[in-house]
Amino acid sequence: MKGQRLRRVFVWELPVRIFHWLNVLAIFVLCVTGYLIGNPPALLSGAEASNRYMFGIIRFLHFTAAYIFMFNLLFRVYWSIAGNKYANWRNFVPTNGRYFTEIFKVLKIDIFLQRGKEHMSVGHNALAGFMYFVIFLASLFMVVTGLGLLADNSTWWFTRAFIWVPAFFGSDFAVRNWHHAFMWLFIIFTLIHVYLVFYHDYVEGRGEISSMGGGWKFIEEEQFQAEKPE
Amino acid sequence: MAPITPERRLTYYEELRHRGYSRRDFMKFCTVMAAYLGLEASGTAQITKALMNTPRIPVIWLHFQECTCCSESFIRSSHPIVADIILDKISLDYTETLMAASGHAAEAAMQKTMKDHYGEYVLCVEGSVSNYGDGEYCCIGGKSSKQILQEAAAGAKAILAWGSCACNGCVQAAKPNPTQATPIHKLVKGKPIIKVPGCPPIGEVMAGTLVHLVTFGAIPELDRVGRPKAFYSKRVHDSCYRRPYYDAGLFAETFDDENAKKGYCLYKVGCKGPMTYNACGVIKWNNGVSYPIQSGHGCIGCSEENFWDNGPLYRQMSSFPGFGIEANADKVGLVAAGAVGAGIAVHAIATNIQKRRLIVDVIDEGKKAEKELDNPLS
Ligand code: SF4
């Protein structure tokens, strides 16, 4: 591997990158405001309540970020059909045995750190792809429960269409608790995700971190030739 | 007015006149009810007409696993006619709490009503039904609550589920629910069921629902879980007079701090108003005197399903299932995030040991390239 020529591969198209960073922003705002809605800070203020709208603004930010999050997610679903092969939905949903073989391989090499031939994927590796699928499902859960909680106070038919959600769970109580608990899934996901990106960049030296900026990843000439169909 | 014959049941108006109410009192009552039901001005006339012309509907009022707070609330509703019209034997053919008859006589009265008015009577149920075993946890007159309910429900025109017990089980259905306290809608199928939840429901809400049933001969418009929309379409939070403090982010931190004295929002001391659909903020309690939040205590969400298992009452975040009373989602999440953080740290260290060769190679290669290059600036 030493001294090998690297080949530049265009992996993440612009829409994928825009999706990624919008998603980052939305999740960040949603987690911060969501946490504050559950545990508002103690404020001591002599101001008239009518002059302040702090909690109202926090909630407004939460709802706005939530709509951005949702439409962004919908767009990504569309792009998983329209986009290039690395954006395709097959990267996320296991449909064949090869997918699982790769998951085990990644587990062995990257997570349990066994020595051996490094698994150098070009796009997502199978385990990462599958995790994105899991977090996609969690995102759907968040969107549905969130819209359900908002439905009664909304005037938009789309949001109102989710009025069945609290009834399905029994009451707003349960929906709200689960909506809040799932936030932690996103926080934990982010921790692991960011760490593993650094891990790959550090161990493999192929521009993992910067790929979400410019879209480029680099693979060894040898691997490029090996993966190229004749 | 139609002539009164022994066969004909008296109309509500006739009954009231017999009891000494003036027409003026009667009109006042109709106006109040129209207002509670959220009807237009012409609604008063509709109610008046209906109560003058329709013979009273026979009512059977059953009590199962409950504390009778629904009945108590009902007879204390602000307008005295409410109590008279329904509870003072005028309309009630059977209710354990308030009827004069007892024992076999009472049971016979119920059987008679059920037979004579099959398909006509309104069945009010207060309390949950014990569904455990043969129903031995709740027996009345030698029959299990489930049996009694099913017999009475068969000929009912509509069923009114009074209070949280009948609507969702209430506290006796709290985990582990030893008697298998079960709400009415899970046991009776194919009958219109109106849920009037609350522990207890507001008396005026109960009266309003009954009056609607009588006036229009139809069940009122219900929301997605079967509650009358007129009373349960808004959250307590939406009509709460402390809402400006909520929006401003000004909260009482404890019940005796400066903020509490200033009347700030009770969200952080556990108010469940934002999740509770009820009319407390509008109709209020005890003749409109006050309601919990006005009296300085947060809403506990007594009309919502599972409020009893979503405690604690004095904290906003519920305890997380399976992790003990003190653990809410945030505490569990924080511990999980901490564990993941520790895992990452271990993994990072292990990476530097296990993948040493690989990392050194990459670094060496990079450093070599750096050496080989000129610095154009020096
Ligand atoms: S006291 Fe309760 S119902 Fe009133 S504004 Fe605060 S949270 Fe809402």
Side-chain angles (χ1 to χ4, degrees), chain B residues 246-262:
Chain B
Y246 172 89
D247 285 332
L250 297 171
F251 304 104
E253 302 290 325
T254 57
F255 282 110
D256 54 359
D257 67 0
E258 195 52 38
N259 292 359
K261 282 185 197 124
K262 283 184 188 154

Side-chain angles (χ1 to χ4, degrees), chain A residues 99-117:
Chain A
Y99 200 104
F100 290 103
T101 323
E102 197 186 323
I103 286 186
F104 284 119
K105 212 158 139 197
V106 175
L107 269 177
K108 236 169 64 189
I109 305 284
D110 289 338
I111 306 302
F112 296 110
L113 295 170
Q114 298 201 357
R115 294 201 189 93
K117 197 176 160 349

Side-chain angles (χ1 to χ4, degrees), chain B residues 19-152:
Chain B
R19 294 188 64 79
Y21 284 102
S22 66
R23 183 169 169 83
R24 192 181 169 79
D25 289 332
F26 173 71
M27 288 309 296
K28 274 193 207 158
F29 170 75
C30 294
T31 315
V32 168
M33 279 302 136
Y36 281 149
L37 288 167
L39 302 177
E40 319 153 21
S42 61
T44 310
Q46 263 175 299
I47 292 182
T48 312
K49 217 168 132 198
L51 294 184
M52 283 184 69
N53 295 323
T54 38
R56 69 165 185 91
I57 300 178
V59 176
I60 294 177
W61 186 311
L62 299 175
H63 297 255
F64 298 132
Q65 294 176 302
E66 44 89 334
C67 71
T68 317
C69 73
C70 302
S71 298
E72 289 288 343
S73 171
F74 192 69
I75 56 177
R76 277 162 185 70
S77 68
S78 56
H79 208 284
I81 290 185
V82 169
D84 273 355
I85 204 171
I86 314 290
L87 285 179
D88 271 358
K89 284 179 261 122
I90 297 181
S91 288
L92 269 186
D93 293 272
Y94 180 88
T95 175
E96 284 97 337
T97 316
L98 296 158
M99 64 191 166
S102 64
H104 291 298
E107 297 302 319
M110 175 159 93
Q111 294 300 334
K112 187 170 183 312
T113 306
M114 279 165 52
K115 235 184 39 241
D116 293 353
H117 301 283
Y118 193 87
E120 283 172 47
Y121 61 87
V122 171
L123 177 65
C124 297
V125 185
E126 188 176 342
S128 60
V129 169
S130 168
N131 206 15
Y132 179 87
D134 298 322
E136 56 266 38
Y137 279 122
C138 183
C139 291
I140 301 157
K143 285 185 195 164
S144 75
S145 53
K146 197 174 164 189
Q147 242 179 320
I148 300 172
L149 174 70
Q150 257 142 14
E151 276 172 26

Side-chain angles (χ1 to χ4, degrees), chain A residues 27 31 135 185-195, chain B residues 344:
Chain A
I27 291 178
C31 285
I135 211 73
L185 222 62
F186 285 81
I187 294 174
I188 288 167
F189 168 83
T190 307
L191 282 175
I192 299 175
H193 171 72
V194 171
Y195 167 72
Chain B
I344 286 175

Side-chain angles (χ1 to χ4, degrees), chain B residues 316-329:
Chain B
Q316 193 49 236
M317 292 299 306
S318 299
S319 44
F320 198 69
F323 287 86
I325 293 166
E326 285 298 311
N328 62 30

